[in-house]
Amino acid sequence: MNGTNNPNLKQNSDSIALQRATGLLLVSNTPKGRGVFASQYISKGTILEVSPVLIFSPEEVEKHTAQTVLQHYTYYWPNPSNPKGPQTQAIALGLGSMFNHSRLHQNVVWSRDIASETITYTAHRDIKAGEELCISYGNARLWFQDADLEDESLGIEGEDELQRSGLHALALVESNDVP
Ligand SMILES: C[S@@+](CC[C@H](N)C(=O)[O-])C[C@H]1O[C@@H](n2cnc3c(N)ncnc32)[C@H](O)[C@@H]1O
């Protein structure tokens, strides 16, 4: 489909509506690196971002992404060449790769749309201006020191719990289970 200069272009089976909420800031140099913050109040249920994904083949994962920093950004994704087989990995383009993890203060949930190859990020609760927008990377052991836990009263105890889980998370796992 060639939609260039087509004033009648509408959403159809060849196109998907992309969305990004207003009032999102990408902030550098936080204790978690870059992160996405709200510069204004955002109400529960607001679609924050629809990110197209780039899907890697299992061979590309093994030879390339698993050997690079990309492994800290990828989501499990069904393999288009073998949808019923083991999952491969995909990276969210746009803001999707910038959401940090919070186990205690998760305020964003995400869902995969396999057909459109997108991930939609949605506000899980009302969010105040100034709050960081965080997803959950799941309950598996994290591959980094969780900056949230350093200041939390449950601090060491929470960290122990993650260490004891004995799981190795080398990629973001889908989890919309909000604690
Ligand atoms: C998907 S990226 C998120 C964006 C990243 N902060 C950046 O600057 O590119 C995942 C990386 O963010 C950092 N990160 C995410 N959540 C964190 C947390 N709760 N505590 C510390 N670092 C975190 C870790 O370095 C992790 O490998």
Side-chain angles (χ1 to χ4, degrees), residues 98-125:
M98 290 293 107
F99 291 105
N100 287 319
H101 163 80
S102 183
R103 192 164 63 91
L104 299 173
H105 306 296
Q106 177 188 357
N107 51 14
V108 176
V109 290
W110 56 274
S111 62
R112 299 183 294 190
D113 185 327
I114 306 303
S116 67
E117 300 184 353
T118 57
I119 301 176
T120 296
Y121 299 84
T122 305
H124 179 69
R125 59 167 170 76

Side-chain angles (χ1 to χ4, degrees), residues 71-72 74 76 101 103 136-147 149 157-175:
Q71 72 175 341
H72 297 157
T74 50
Y76 287 119
H101 163 80
R103 192 164 63 91
S136 169
Y137 294 2
N139 291 321
R141 181 176 176 173
L142 297 169
W143 60 94
F144 51 84
Q145 184 77 28
D146 191 335
L149 297 184
E157 188 188 325
E159 194 175 332
D160 273 358
E161 194 179 302
L162 290 172
Q163 301 296 325
R164 276 202 305 271
S165 72
L167 299 170
H168 297 268
L170 294 177
L172 297 172
V173 292
E174 182 162 23
S175 170

Side-chain angles (χ1 to χ4, degrees), residues 1 9-17 116:
M1 181 184 68
L9 190 61
K10 291 201 176 82
Q11 186 179 351
N12 59 30
S13 59
D14 291 327
S15 62
I16 53 153
S116 67

Side-chain angles (χ1 to χ4, degrees), residues 30-121:
T30 81
K32 303 176 184 177
R34 291 165 294 177
V36 185
F37 285 70
S39 65
Q40 63 184 47
Y41 168 82
I42 295 172
S43 60
K44 177 179 177 176
T46 300
I47 292 181
L48 302 165
E49 164 86 356
V50 177
S51 290
V53 301
L54 182 62
I55 304 170
F56 299 112
S57 69
E59 294 73 29
E60 288 170 325
V61 171
E62 188 185 332
K63 287 189 187 154
H64 303 296
T65 65
Q67 314 299 329
T68 72
V69 70
L70 283 175
Q71 72 175 341
H72 297 157
Y73 290 77
T74 50
Y75 291 69
Y76 287 119
W77 201 273
N79 180 358
S81 305
N82 182 14
K84 293 191 175 158
Q87 295 198 92
T88 186
Q89 294 182 17
I91 191 160
L93 304 174
L95 269 190
S97 282
M98 290 293 107
F99 291 105
N100 287 319
H101 163 80
S102 183
R103 192 164 63 91
L104 299 173
H105 306 296
Q106 177 188 357
N107 51 14
V108 176
V109 290
W110 56 274
S111 62
R112 299 183 294 190
D113 185 327
I114 306 303
S116 67
E117 300 184 353
T118 57
I119 301 176
T120 296
Y121 299 84

